Amino acid sequence: MKHTEDSGSPSAAAVFFEQAAAEILRLHGGNAADLRQLVVVLPNYHAAVPLAKHLQQLAGVPAMLLPQMVTFNDWAQSVPMQQAVVPDSQRASVLYQALRMRKWFAGADLWGIAHELLQLLDEMTRHHVQLPLDEAEFLAQLEAAYQAKSTAPMQFEARVVHELWYAMSSSGGLDAARANLQQLALLAEQVSAPIVVLLTADLSRMESQFLEACARKVPVSIMDMRQLMSGREDCRLLMQALAEIPAEGESLQEQALQLRLHFPQANLGGRVRLYAANGLEQEARAAELQVRRWLLEGKGSIAIVAQDRLVARRVRALLERAGILARDETGWIMSTLAVSSVLMRWLDVLQSDFYYQDLLDLLKSPYIFAGSEAPGRKQHLYQFERLVRKHGIVAGLGVYAGLVEAEAPQLTAMLAQLKTAADCMARRSDTLHGWLQALRESLSVLGILQGLDADMAGQQLLQLLAQWRSELQADEVRYSRQEWRHWLALQLDAQTWRDKTINSPVMITHLTATRWRKFDAVLLLGCDAAHLPGNDSQSAWFNDAVRHALGLPVRAAHRNQQRDDLLALLAMAGNVMLTWQASMNGEPNLASPYIELLQSLHQQAYADALLETELDSMLDAAVVRMQDIPLPSPRQMPAPVVKAALLPHSISASGYNSLVACPYQFFARHVLHLNELDEVGEEIEKRDFGEWVHAILQRFHQQYPRLLEYDAKTLADALLQISQAVFAPAQASLFWAHAWLARWRQSITAYIDLQMRMEADGWRYRSSEESFEQAIAGQLTLRGRVDRLDCRQDDAGHSRVIDYKLQDANVLANKLKAPGEDVQLPFYAHVFSAAEAEFISMEKHKVLPVRAEQDMQVLAQANMERLVMLFEQMRNGAPLPANGVDDSCRHCDMHVMCRRQEWLGR
């Protein structure tokens, strides 16, 4: 869709530009076809085309030589400077060092304070603020402005601003604000053509002084475009509403009466609508629908003015889903983009010693290893994530390397690249230039540079990094990694990226950028009291009284400018809809005072509250009707049927337990494989404790297969020594490992006593941690690993399966009460043809055997027959219902899939 700025129905904009053109021609007074000897200062370049159009129409000539049309900033920039301008990156570094040296803000965010102070100092420069040379005199000036006696905070504020002002002023460098002053001064000396200023905002002191200097040489005419509205009848209601307070001595009712009697054209009902939404999503959906309605009506230029950026982002997403792209003039903060995220995630990885979540996030970025083949890269990432989660590794590049070397050597090259890149950044301090250079080298090693270079936003990021490296090359001050990283984060926060490839009649912009631009339709989002008028971004230093005393703009000036911009936007646009959230998070949310007054005035004057009444019904019609889609009821128990080809070909004891406890749990875990990737425990869990105990007992029994050959103390000492060796790696990095070891030590004596009793009863240790695979019924394989196998001293064929449990004996006994409810022991007994099977409960100082009351061989056979039957039923289409009991559901990690609480109506 082609964008046409001036397409659509006529509006007040045409009249305003026609008046401006007529005044320019009147002031010129010469050949109307040649206006080259005239300079017209514009509020922005969007005004150039409509102004030129009206100049030619009023001049009545087929062709015209236009005047020089320029903005204040570009006109000043056209003057060359002999002295180089010190970039803000250098100035911020100098100011940071001054703050660090003076130790005024111990423990505070010095980079943030430095940037805020730079803004204040530049603002003082632009408004020609001159501080007294004596600090005491400046403090007295502050006392007078604050109308209070000197206090410690006031003295501190005076000292900081005064000392840093003169420190930065005497540094010898020329900053951008001072350069702009010099350029305007030089320009005032060179100016030779009459000047016409189209004013849409209050002049700064710098601009006022420039025009005063020009007026001494050439004619200067200032045309305040805002005053053109006062003579228009259709703007009268808007002007009164945006004034926020009624005229002196005149009530709201009297104002409405005057409007109704004398200004019928001020009725806005034909083009302005107000929409109060119930929450963010409704506001965004209504806005998206209204934009589509305008497009269908043929609107050629639609502006979405984002007072509330959060709503604007949602509207943009909804429009893109509908196939409508929008030009975003507000842009995206660079730090929020994926191209910056990969950079900062790499720094997170280095800072956290390759913490697994940071590392996996980095490796999943599309920008890393850009030179590698994508399918192979994804496969390697998947393999690496499985290894990390399987072994529960939290951090440490060396630990990852050891694991990869043992189990996945194909990933060695990937970890080697990470190691080389980390070596590039291996320093404790450096200059800002040095850190940036090291960052570039590390990104090159990781292939991130190539990835960023293939992305438009990435290209801008690389340009910024190169610019900062160049600007800071001479800076010799050293910074820690943390200081530099915070500096980089603030730099990225201050930059904006705009996608300039989108050409659309729909644009997202901000209020200031709409100054004297004509739109066929405008959607103003976020018209609540918190966003309209919005807060300014002035420095936190000084209150309004002090700012006024110093000659700086006060906060009311920002508010007034927003009001003027809003008035111009509403007056010049075609159709307008203003939206806000009447309720937010379930609480009432006040509309903007502008909206409330506009609505009240219009209601009383023209019996129309301007409310949008059609969108709600249209939104309801746009919602997809759920009853038209064959979805299961949320109150219906899920019971999926599995295709035979998707059934697993092997099953473990835990998988069989899952099938018995809840068929749907088995479906989610072992058919859909939703449990394939384990969570990495960042603190020691009971599962980790259990694995360590298994490793301890395996090592212990391999060294001491016959305990009765030793005394109990020797065995206890040996078991403790083995325990300490197994726990040692975890204790080096995890504090809670010490507590788990202390807990295990309570069980050592009781375990040895139980084992010696077992041996006295004729049992002997045979093996431990023995893996197995055994086929049954031709299509199913039993797999797993048994904790321990014992055999009778007098009968090697008589064996017993033992499973270690770190649970209370009573809990385990309850599991075994109902035959077949817990299948673990019968499962193992079948595989090893064991006559007996038991749990060994190890709960602190209590170590007890727990056995089933039934004959284990009979129970094992029955369980295998049931397993074969269940799989046969599943192959034949039997459903897998979510019929688990409360005890099994309480700790089930598939509850998000099952949604048991919903279909039970709880």
Side-chain angles (χ1 to χ4, degrees), residues 19 52 88 137 139 149 196 206 262 378 397 403 417 426 543 556 614 641 660 737 767 831-832 847 888:
Q19 290 178 329
D88 285 345
E137 186 178 346
L139 177 59
K149 293 184 178 180
V196 177
M206 183 169 60
H262 303 294
K378 291 181 180 179
L397 186 58
L403 176 62
Q417 280 182 273
N543 65 13
E614 297 180 357
V641 174
V660 172
S767 63
V831 171
F832 291 98
V847 179
S888 62

Side-chain angles (χ1 to χ4, degrees), residues 353-354 359 393 395-406 415 418-419:
D353 188 26
F354 288 81
L359 180 56
I393 300 176
L397 186 58
V399 181
Y400 299 131
L403 176 62
V404 163
E405 184 178 0
L415 292 185
L418 289 169
K419 175 66 167 59

Side-chain angles (χ1 to χ4, degrees), residues 243-257:
E244 287 191 70
I245 55 174
E248 185 176 353
E250 188 177 24
S251 68
L252 188 67
Q253 291 79 5
E254 290 172 331
Q255 281 188 305
L257 178 61

Side-chain angles (χ1 to χ4, degrees), residues 219-251:
V220 174
S221 302
I222 298 178
M223 188 183 307
D224 194 335
M225 303 288 280
R226 297 170 295 183
Q227 293 179 359
L228 297 179
M229 294 184 186
S230 60
R232 291 191 56 83
E233 182 177 316
D234 55 355
C235 296
R236 185 57 59 95
L237 183 138
L238 288 172
M239 294 178 65
Q240 292 187 6
L242 297 186
E244 287 191 70
I245 55 174
E248 185 176 353
E250 188 177 24
S251 68

Side-chain angles (χ1 to χ4, degrees), residues 84-136:
V85 176
V86 179
D88 285 345
S89 57
Q90 286 186 25
R91 297 174 64 223
S93 176
V94 172
L95 192 51
Y96 182 92
Q97 287 304 309
L99 293 172
R100 187 163 68 175
M101 179 183 65
R102 288 166 173 79
K103 299 180 181 180
W104 283 335
F105 302 93
D109 174 15
L110 294 188
W111 280 121
I113 295 172
H115 280 84
E116 189 175 293
L117 281 169
L118 273 183
Q119 293 176 6
L120 174 65
L121 297 180
D122 286 346
E123 189 179 20
M124 293 168 67
T125 298
R126 287 193 298 271
H127 289 85
H128 292 274
V129 174
Q130 292 296 327
L131 299 187
L133 292 174
D134 184 49
E135 184 179 320

Side-chain angles (χ1 to χ4, degrees), residues 561-616:
Q561 185 58 61
Q562 274 208 321
R563 181 200 61 213
D564 292 342
D565 291 340
L566 179 60
L567 176 60
L569 177 65
L570 296 178
M572 297 180 67
N575 294 102
V576 179
M577 189 169 85
L578 302 97
T579 71
W580 71 97
Q581 298 172 55
S583 64
M584 187 177 294
N585 300 321
E587 298 292 333
N589 186 44
L590 294 177
S592 165
Y594 295 150
I595 301 300
E596 290 186 342
L597 192 53
L598 173 65
Q599 192 173 27
S600 296
L601 263 177
H602 204 275
Q603 172 67 40
Q604 295 188 44
Y606 306 110
D608 182 359
L610 300 176
L611 292 176
E612 168 58 49
T613 57
E614 297 180 357
L615 278 180
D616 284 340

